[in-house]
Amino acid sequence: MTALLSILVLVFIFVAIWQMVKIFDLTQTGKSDVNNQIANDNDNKVNGYLMIGFLIFIYVITIVCLIKYGDLPLLSNSASEHGPSVDRLMIISLLVIFFVQTITQFLLHYFAFKYRGQKGRKALFFADNNKLEAIWTIIPVIVLAGLIIQGLFTWTSIMNVDEESDPMVVELYAQQFNWKARYAGQDNALGKANVRLIDLDKANILGVDESDPNAKDDVIVTELHLPVGKPVLFKMRSQDVLHSAYMPHFRAQMNCVPGMITQFSFTPTKTTEEMRELPEIKDKVANINKIRTKNSQELIAKGEEALEPYEFDFLLLCNKICGTSHYNMQMKIVVETQEEFDAWMKEQKVFENSLNL
């Protein structure tokens, strides 16, 4: 695939240079026969058939890609309560785009072929056509309005946090290039925090206000654990630059902006173990480990360590280019039963016991 892409890039570069040379020749009055540059019937015929050929190429490559790469796991294995609504909106948008693209590309290339230039043929055109203009204005308006309205309803249902469901409050703290999570503790209320209160000597790495009673039972961790079926309200902060908390399998993303608190809420519906048992996830893991095994053999031959086997985990990623190590800014998410979560939480230190006094 890399070799094919390299060849295509070289071909496009050659064509671009060739076109630039032709343009340069046309600008040199008296140095070239301009009449030779005027397209004749044969030139138009060749270009017309090339347009049909390119149309066939577009359809063939589309069909091949759908057959070979048409499995879209991120449209079928959401692990949050609102995930299916997001997937449904995405699928509808893709179908509309695919339908419109198929029709418009056919018309574009077919018309270029059918109405190619021929000697003695006079172009027929309409200065205006109110009926056509109304059709191609009203139809897109209706379709786009439907997509936007459905999107707004979906977004509103996601962002309207139901306080009566008593969501667990968790802070996601972003900094170049790692994540920290802070649980609100037994009182389910986060203590106040400010980056100006960061004190590394006392291990107050998030700038939590030590005098705030709500902060005493907060729990700071580097691995995010969530109980399945429990609504979670995330409060997000950034220490330095703009980050974006992205949890793809939960269909969740929200910017983390320095100087302000943003929020996002969802309810996990599948545990990590349940996701690992899904057929598509098993296939993905097997494929990745097949590639890793092959690469490991090459590394071992060079005297280097082999790659570790891949195991599926939910991840919190940064989806904003935030610096040199942006690609590696991630945190593992473990979704488990309430009992497992409670047992894990009991092993964690609360904030007041984690300080170096």
Side-chain angles (χ1 to χ4, degrees):
M1 181 59 72
T2 302
L4 176 61
L5 290 175
S6 300
I7 292 172
L8 289 175
V9 169
L10 291 174
V11 170
F12 288 142
I13 291 175
F14 173 77
V15 172
I17 294 175
W18 177 51
Q19 291 294 333
M20 291 173 66
V21 170
K22 288 183 66 177
I23 292 172
F24 177 78
D25 288 341
L26 287 172
T27 61
Q28 305 302 304
T29 305
K31 295 184 180 180
S32 63
D33 186 2
V34 177
N35 291 325
N36 290 335
Q37 302 296 329
I38 298 176
N40 54 37
D41 284 357
N42 187 59
D43 294 330
N44 292 330
K45 183 178 180 180
V46 170
N47 280 293
Y49 279 108
L50 284 174
M51 293 294 279
I52 292 296
F54 190 68
L55 175 64
I56 295 172
F57 169 77
I58 290 175
Y59 285 156
V60 169
I61 201 69
T62 300
I63 294 171
V64 170
C65 288
L66 284 174
I67 294 174
K68 192 171 182 180
Y69 307 107
D71 183 22
L72 301 176
L74 279 181
L75 290 180
S76 61
N77 55 21
S78 62
S80 64
E81 203 171 76
H82 71 263
S85 298
V86 176
D87 291 350
R88 184 166 54 252
L89 182 61
M90 180 64 73
I91 290 170
I92 292 173
S93 298
L94 289 174
L95 289 175
V96 170
I97 292 171
F98 183 78
F99 174 77
V100 172
Q101 186 267 352
T102 301
I103 299 299
T104 55
Q105 289 299 321
F106 172 79
L107 293 175
L108 173 67
H109 291 80
Y110 176 70
F111 277 31
F113 166 76
K114 183 177 181 180
Y115 299 107
R116 62 190 181 274
Q118 291 182 359
K119 189 174 181 180
R121 174 188 284 181
K122 185 177 181 181
L124 175 65
F125 67 94
F126 297 96
D128 60 79
N129 189 312
N130 294 335
K131 184 177 180 180
L132 281 177
E133 292 176 6
I135 290 173
W136 68 52
T137 300
I138 293 173
I139 292 178
V141 166
I142 294 173
V143 174
L144 290 175
L147 290 174
I148 292 170
I149 291 171
Q150 183 181 1
L152 286 174
F153 277 116
T154 302
W155 179 251
T156 302
S157 65
I158 294 171
M159 296 305 294
N160 284 347
V161 180
D162 184 8
E163 299 293 345
E164 295 182 359
S165 62
D166 190 28
M168 181 176 68
V169 180
V170 180
E171 179 184 70
L172 296 179
Y173 186 82
Q175 64 182 123
Q176 296 173 309
F177 296 96
N178 62 75
W179 296 94
K180 300 288 190 302
R182 178 164 63 109
Y183 292 85
Q186 292 294 328
D187 58 6
N188 204 32
L190 288 168
K192 296 177 182 178
N194 192 299
V195 292
R196 295 179 177 84
L197 299 177
I198 293 176
D199 189 341
L200 298 181
D201 294 332
K202 297 178 67 175
N204 188 355
I205 57 176
L206 302 189
V208 179
D209 188 350
E210 300 172 30
S211 64
D212 187 350
N214 291 329
K216 295 185 182 301
D217 64 346
D218 289 357
V219 175
I220 300 173
V221 296
T222 56
E223 183 176 278
L224 184 61
H225 284 241
L226 302 174
V228 68
K230 174 74 172 178
V232 185
L233 176 60
F234 292 99
K235 303 285 186 176
M236 304 175 188
R237 285 195 299 145
S238 172
Q239 176 176 307
D240 35 51
V241 299
L242 183 66
H243 299 278
S244 188
Y246 177 46
M247 293 167 274
H249 288 92
F250 301 109
R251 308 300 189 259
Q253 178 171 322
M254 181 58 67
N255 287 345
C256 304
V257 185
M260 67 181 293
I261 297 175
T262 54
Q263 70 177 35
F264 197 98
S265 176
F266 65 80
T267 302
T269 56
K270 292 186 181 75
T271 65
T272 300
E273 292 301 325
E274 288 173 339
M275 284 294 288
R276 287 173 179 171
E277 293 302 315
L278 293 178
E280 57 266 35
I281 298 298
K282 285 185 174 181
D283 291 342
K284 174 186 175 182
V285 171
N287 184 53
I288 292 175
N289 282 327
K290 182 179 178 181
I291 297 172
R292 287 198 169 201
T293 300
K294 181 180 178 181
N295 292 340
S296 292
Q297 292 173 351
E298 297 176 0
L299 292 173
I300 293 172
K302 296 177 183 178
E304 302 177 20
E305 291 185 7
L307 298 172
E308 295 181 1
Y310 169 74
E311 186 176 42
F312 172 83
D313 278 306
F314 293 117
L315 291 174
L316 166 61
L317 307 169
C318 178
N319 207 22
K320 283 285 188 295
I321 300 177
C322 56
T324 54
S325 293
H326 155 75
Y327 69 95
N328 203 32
M329 184 173 169
Q330 57 184 263
M331 181 166 65
K332 179 180 175 181
I333 303 175
V334 178
V335 181
E336 54 201 356
T337 63
Q338 185 67 54
E339 293 76 18
E340 292 171 328
F341 174 79
D342 292 339
W344 173 81
M345 184 60 74
K346 287 179 181 179
E347 299 173 356
Q348 310 307 313
K349 285 185 178 181
V350 295
F351 174 68
E352 66 175 351
N353 294 336
S354 67
L355 295 173
N356 297 328
L357 300 176

